[in-house]
Amino acid sequence: MALFARSGLVVGSVLASACGVFGGEDTDVPPAPPDRSQENATPPVSGQPLEGVFVSSSRGNDDADGTQDRPLKTLGKAVSLARQKQLRVLACAEEYREALVLQDGVSIYGDLDCNATPWVRKEGARSKLLAPSSPALLARDVTKATRIEAVDVVAPDGNKGDGGNGSSIGAWVKDSSNLILAKATITAGNGAAGTDGADPPASAQSSTGIADGFAGSEQVHCQDGTFATFTKPCADVRRHDGAPGGNRACLVGPQPGPGGRGGDGRKYNQNVALDDPDVIGGDGLIEQGYPLSPTPQTAQGGSTEGSPGGLGTNGSNGANGANGAWSFGAEGFVAGNGTAGGIGTAGQGGGGGAGRENWCNPNNVATCLTQFPPQNALQPYYFAAAGAGGGAGGCVGIPGTPGTGGGASIAAISWKSSVTFDNVKLVAKTGGRAGRGALGLPGQAGGKGGKGTTFTFFGGDGGRGGHPGLSGHGAPGPSIALAFTDPAPVRVNLELTPGQPGAGQEPLTRETQSLPAVTGEALGEHRIEL
């Protein structure tokens, strides 16, 4: 029986081993280390043995094991290893040229003197994080006790070349709690300048067609009779068509109105039936310029003898854009870009000049002799005068691009976080200059109405195309030492030092259009309203 029992134990042992091989619980995996974040967030006691992951930029190697004899080289590598081992990071007080992302529950102490053997904490010593990118220090979703002590942080100047908004942020804390930043100076760089708006190239406003109306004209004077100086009698002279109006096709935007056609010149002839469409059988009757009634596109033609075509009205101006205003969002600072102006309406075409029929009454010999000296003043003279065409309306102006906002200089942002600043200085530099807005290309002048002669009437000028709305300035980048949402950070000897605000822009004006100036802001602190 003892042998059988012994054999059973052996079999059970083999089965247990097989379970590990074929998918059972792997008994060789070491258990996870206990959470020591609270312990690690308590500063090491001077004079006591140091336990942690050691790092030195001057003598470390990121392939090392992080012990004091074989330290790592970068803070980022040390933080990753410390999280695995549930240890704190102990950094030699040197410069570290990297941007740092904090890990939940991993505390860092940057005041170690690594020239001593063994390393010791040194009062007043600090590591310096010289980041090549912004934010220099990022804490996201840090909820376990985490303390960053004796690590000065310096962010670079803002740079729009990497697709960002040109801001320089020292520390960006988001959705975190139990985070303490202690014994440090956090410094932002300068914000980058916004980009000025630009007008479209002049070629963008090109047009085709002939904008000016054609000139009016008169028929050759004729006398009622056949004389040696005239080749045909007046009875053979028929209607003289009015001159065409200008017509313009713009490459962009709404199309302007065409110029109205000049009124027809009709010969007075008492020997022709009154219903003949080519003549008018009555003294003083004329042909009205076109259009007979005004339209949204073209002004009314001249309606009475001796009257020119109506002037086309100017197109309406486009709505102005707006100057930018900076703000904050879940991803940090949002630059205040201006908005573009709107496009207006095109100019109205001018009306055509009135046509005219003329004849010289022999009963008024003086007038006849003054206007066109006849060979025989006792014979009436007849001729037809055609009105001039109106000018086409002007092409609409094209808006320019708006200015973009300058980048911010912000030492620290706390977004929906509980963070404590303990003996910390927050220093901001200069915000970025605002990008200037643009006037855009102004509306084009309308075409000129056709010219008149002695007995013809000029066409109306076309109206100017509407100016575009002014495109807004960007907002100057602010200089802010501390920006935060509720809850407000806990402050223990916190010093806030803002820098200079970003340079603004003067008012933007054209005729009756205007946009106000923009000015920058420098703030010690800014509460972000959600």
Side-chain angles (χ1 to χ4, degrees):
M1 292 295 296
L3 180 60
F4 179 78
R6 190 182 190 97
S7 175
L9 288 173
V10 172
V11 171
S13 176
V14 171
L15 290 175
S17 176
C19 287
V21 173
F22 295 105
E25 183 179 354
D26 189 349
T27 56
D28 293 333
V29 176
D35 182 6
R36 299 176 57 188
S37 58
Q38 191 66 50
E39 175 186 345
N40 292 334
T42 302
V45 178
S46 297
Q48 297 294 320
L50 297 174
E51 182 183 12
V53 172
F54 294 84
V55 57
S56 168
S57 61
S58 65
R59 63 191 68 189
N61 187 316
D62 278 345
D63 292 329
D65 59 10
T67 60
Q68 191 170 147
D69 293 333
R70 301 181 66 235
L72 298 171
K73 185 176 183 65
T74 62
L75 290 170
K77 190 73 172 182
V79 166
S80 296
L81 183 59
R83 184 175 187 182
Q84 295 176 21
K85 295 187 174 184
Q86 292 293 308
L87 296 173
R88 57 171 67 96
V89 172
L90 301 172
C92 183
E94 298 174 336
E95 292 183 352
Y96 297 85
R97 298 184 178 275
E98 57 186 295
L100 182 60
V101 178
L102 300 184
Q103 297 286 339
D104 195 16
V106 177
S107 294
I108 304 172
Y109 299 89
D111 55 359
L112 272 74
D113 180 2
C114 54
N115 291 317
T117 304
W119 295 9
V120 295
R121 299 189 70 195
K122 183 178 179 179
E123 183 66 27
R126 292 185 185 179
S127 296
K128 180 172 285 188
L129 184 69
L130 298 175
S133 60
S134 176
L137 183 70
L138 173 63
R140 179 185 286 120
D141 299 320
V142 172
T143 58
K144 298 177 181 179
T146 304
R147 184 181 183 93
I148 311 300
E149 182 174 315
V151 179
D152 288 340
V153 176
V154 180
D157 290 341
N159 179 10
K160 290 195 172 185
D162 58 2
N165 59 27
S167 295
S168 177
I169 311 297
W172 169 225
V173 182
K174 181 181 180 183
D175 301 325
S176 297
S177 59
N178 293 323
L179 176 63
I180 299 174
L181 301 176
K183 296 181 181 180
T185 297
I186 301 175
T187 306
N190 299 313
T195 302
D196 292 339
D199 293 333
S203 59
Q205 208 173 26
S206 299
S207 59
T208 59
I210 299 175
D212 294 341
F214 288 79
S217 62
E218 301 171 359
Q219 289 179 327
V220 175
H221 300 171
C222 66
Q223 191 176 29
D224 193 11
T226 302
F227 297 91
T229 55
F230 298 97
T231 58
K232 57 180 167 179
C234 291
D236 291 339
V237 178
R238 296 294 182 177
R239 180 172 56 195
H240 194 36
D241 291 338
N247 204 344
R248 168 187 270 158
C250 305
L251 297 185
V252 297
Q255 298 303 301
R261 182 170 67 85
D264 294 343
R266 293 189 176 186
K267 168 192 165 290
Y268 172 83
N269 191 332
Q270 56 189 338
N271 299 320
V272 180
L274 296 181
D275 59 356
D276 189 317
D278 287 330
V279 300
I280 295 178
D283 184 12
L285 295 179
I286 64 168
E287 181 65 26
Q288 179 177 335
Y290 293 91
L292 305 182
S293 299
T295 71
Q297 289 75 38
T298 308
Q300 181 176 348
S303 59
T304 60
E305 183 173 1
S307 64
L311 298 176
T313 58
N314 294 335
S316 60
N317 296 335
N320 285 340
N323 293 334
W326 54 264
S327 61
F328 286 87
E331 297 306 315
F333 177 79
V334 180
N337 297 334
T339 59
I343 197 166
T345 59
Q348 185 186 39
R356 184 175 183 180
E357 60 82 23
N358 266 281
W359 71 300
C360 184
N361 189 333
N363 295 326
N364 189 345
V365 176
T367 301
C368 288
L369 292 174
T370 301
Q371 292 183 341
F372 35 90
Q375 290 180 325
N376 184 349
L378 297 180
Q379 293 292 329
Y381 283 68
Y382 308 111
F383 64 92
C395 293
V396 70
I398 305 174
T401 56
T404 64
S409 176
I410 306 175
I413 304 173
S414 175
W415 178 270
K416 297 182 179 179
S417 297
S418 298
V419 57
T420 297
F421 293 101
D422 183 357
N423 287 286
V424 171
K425 294 180 180 180
L426 298 180
V427 180
K429 294 291 183 64
T430 301
R433 176 184 62 84
R436 177 178 169 79
L439 293 172
L441 298 180
Q444 287 187 331
K448 294 293 185 181
K451 295 181 179 179
T453 60
T454 304
F455 296 104
T456 59
F457 309 109
F458 57 83
D461 293 342
R464 170 184 55 76
H467 295 320
L470 307 177
S471 294
H473 300 308
S479 177
I480 305 174
L482 173 62
F484 61 93
T485 65
D486 288 333
V490 176
R491 310 173 192 211
V492 181
N493 295 326
L494 176 62
E495 183 177 327
L496 304 178
T497 305
Q500 295 298 313
Q505 292 288 350
E506 295 298 316
L508 198 61
T509 60
R510 176 178 53 213
E511 296 179 1
T512 60
Q513 298 170 287
S514 64
L515 279 175
V518 289
T519 56
E521 296 181 89
L523 306 169
E525 62 180 71
H526 172 71
R527 184 185 294 269
I528 303 169
E529 300 295 339
L530 297 179

